[in-house]
């Protein structure tokens, strides 16, 4: 099936909107009666909504899952082009992420992971490109440079940040954590400007921007420290957790299991292509109306809509002021993630940074396509932001910013222009978490708000989405506790 989401380009076919994915659901709806009053309506079929819908339906609740798109997965989904999965959004997972690994084990997918890197080909180098030219390093030298630059960045306490974020899965921001949350990475870099070598500075800045998709000024220093803590306070940990292990069959091969299990319970009704326009809620339950005018009713609701688009839905009564303010501020991540299939086989082994001048900042060989070509993935963000589909020559030039390459195909999803995301993974500007983390997590009457964007642990990751979906289902089940069938 082909989703309306995503783009691909080849010389022969030009630019095409929509790419094939096993995450597209057919038929798009199994709603039988418009009059049913559901126990719970889950809005959003990303990993959070899928987890919540599955757990609630397995617990015996009558669940309706409403999703704006034609597919599951939200910000994590894979296209399947000529038998090869390109990850359009969320990609890498790691066994240190407890929620994600619990689900991988549940679906027996422990042996379906592969490593993105393959350091066995010709150009087995780290390419550090700046306006001054390109320097080459071994991957061991790359690791040493990255570790030394990031260690200087995070070492606010002589303990590599361990005393600032001692419990990375806690929702409590200590006074010290709040201090660093009000600080941007640009502020922190100003503090250590005399300690960094020019190469360390390039590495630190580009790595932070890879994580935040914002600018140095809009990136909360605390949230970077939080990622660092989650990753075991080391650069090696960052690689293991953030960019190394992915599903051989793509993210949609994982997500589809959640949906199938929920469906098999016999308690799941669903409707895709159903953007929600208004949500009325109060003592009597919840009434939800889609843009097409279809109305659905339930006792409870789980709202799994991302922060940056929450204000696009009309709530009656309106959202609580703190949540509304958080959604108005939004998160800053405008990551540009683009895949290129290239005929240069030796580039399978490269990793590279091209900064601060280039459109794409960080790239590396990510796989080999069935045609034997190299698959390169590259990331940009708010820094030098661009929309790949609007200027393909610029996009291709941004790949050449790492090394000369012969581009056969481009594949991407424009998350900035996606009306149901308006950005990539959550990354906060200074102050957002200190001011609004609690507000984002609070429930309002019969609505539980759940999303990776305000998870406590791996916030902004697939693991955080599953953490939140689990919490939401437990909360709603508790509301129904005492009902005979639960
Ligand atoms: P979403 O996936 O955004 O789900 C929300 C759902 O709500 C969507 O399906 C959306 O269509 C739907 N929706 C929105 N508005 C409405 C409406 N009005 N009516 C009905 N439905 C609506 N995480 C990792 O762990 N590893 C990675 O490598 C990684 N890389 C990433 C790379 C990119 C480019 C992106 C974008 C994300 C990445 N992430 C990664 C983050 C991860 O993808 C997300 O944190 C996670 O998928 C979010 O899940 P969610 O269910 O909370 O939200």
């Amino acid at each position: 099936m082909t989703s309306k989401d995503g783009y691909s380009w080849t010389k022969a076919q030009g630019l095409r909107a929509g790419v094939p994915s096993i995450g597209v659901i057919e038929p798009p709806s199994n709603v039988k009666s418009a009059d049913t009053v559901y126990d719970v309506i889950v809005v959003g079929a990303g990993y959070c909504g899928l987890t919540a819908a599955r757990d609630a339906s397995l617990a015996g609740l009558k669940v309706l899952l409403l999703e704006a798109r034609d597919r599951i997965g939200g910000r994590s989904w894979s296209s399947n082009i000529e038998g090869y999965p390109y990850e359009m959004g969320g990609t890498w997972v790691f066994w240190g992420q407890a929620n994600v690994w619990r689900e991988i084990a549940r679906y027996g997918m422990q042996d379906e992971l592969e490593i993105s890197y393959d350091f066995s080909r010709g150009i087995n180098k780290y390419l550090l490109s700046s306006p001054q030219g390109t320097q080459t390093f071994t991957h061991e030298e790359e690791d040493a440079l990255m570790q030394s630059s990031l260690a200087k960045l995070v070492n606010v306490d002589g303990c590599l940040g361990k005393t600032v974020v001692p419990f990375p899965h806690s929702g409590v921001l200590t006074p010290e954590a709040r201090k660093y949350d009000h600080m941007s990475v640009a502020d922190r870099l100003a503090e250590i400007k005399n300690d960094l070598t020019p190469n360390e500075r390039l590495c630190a800045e580009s790595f932070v921007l890879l994580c935040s998709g914002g600018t140095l000024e809009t990136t909360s220093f605390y949230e970077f420290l939080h990622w660092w803590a989650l990753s075991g306070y080391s650069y090696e940990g960052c690689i293991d957790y953030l960019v190394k292990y992915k599903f051989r069959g793509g993210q949609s091969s994982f997500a589809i299991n959640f949906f199938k299990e929920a469906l098999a319970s016999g308690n799941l009704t669903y409707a895709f292509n159903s953007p929600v326009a208004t949500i009325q809620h109060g003592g009597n339950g919840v009434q939800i109306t889609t843009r097409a005018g279809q109305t659905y009713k339930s006792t409870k609701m789980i709202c799994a809509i991302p922060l940056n688009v929450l204000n696009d839905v009309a709530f009656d009564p309106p959202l609580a002021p703190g949540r509304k303010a958080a959604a108005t501020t939004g998160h800053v991540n405008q990551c540009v993630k683009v895949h290129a299939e290239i005929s240069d086989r030796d580039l399978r082994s490269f990793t590279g940074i091209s900064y601060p001048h280039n459109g794409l900042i960080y790239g590396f060989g990510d796989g080999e396509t069935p045609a034997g070509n190299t698959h390169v993935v590259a990331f940009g963000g708010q820094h030098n932001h661009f929309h790949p589909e609007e200027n393909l020559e610029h996009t291709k030039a941004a790949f050449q910013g790492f090394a000369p390459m012969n581009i056969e195909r481009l594949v991407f999803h424009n998350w900035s222009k996606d009306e149901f995301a308006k950005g990539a993974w959550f990354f906060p500007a200074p102050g957002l978490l200190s001011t609004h983390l609690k507000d984002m997590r609070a429930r309002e009457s019969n609505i539980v708000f759940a999303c990776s964007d305000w998870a406590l642990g791996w916030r902004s990751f697939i693991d955080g989405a599953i953490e939140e979906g689990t919490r939401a289902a437990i909360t709603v089940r508790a509301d129904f506790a005492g009902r005979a069938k639960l």
Side-chain angles (χ1 to χ4, degrees), residues 44 47-48 67-69 74-76 89-92 276 304 306 452 460 462:
Y47 275 111
C48 175
E67 167 57 49
R69 308 176 193 274
R75 282 172 283 173
S76 299
T91 305
W92 293 285
V276 165
S452 172
S460 78
I462 294 162

Side-chain angles (χ1 to χ4, degrees), residues 266-297:
N267 288 324
L268 181 73
T269 304
Y270 65 84
F272 287 80
N273 304 316
S274 301
V276 165
T278 63
I279 298 172
Q280 294 167 284
H281 61 109
N284 297 329
V286 183
Q287 179 167 309
I288 295 178
T289 308
T290 65
R291 285 187 195 168
Q294 184 63 56
T295 295
Y296 300 101
K297 289 186 179 143

Side-chain angles (χ1 to χ4, degrees), residues 341-347 372-374 405-408:
E341 180 176 358
I342 62 172
S343 53
D344 318 74
R345 295 185 179 202
D346 281 353
L347 280 168
N373 290 326
T374 293
M405 49 181 87
N406 296 300
I407 299 175
E408 308 268 339

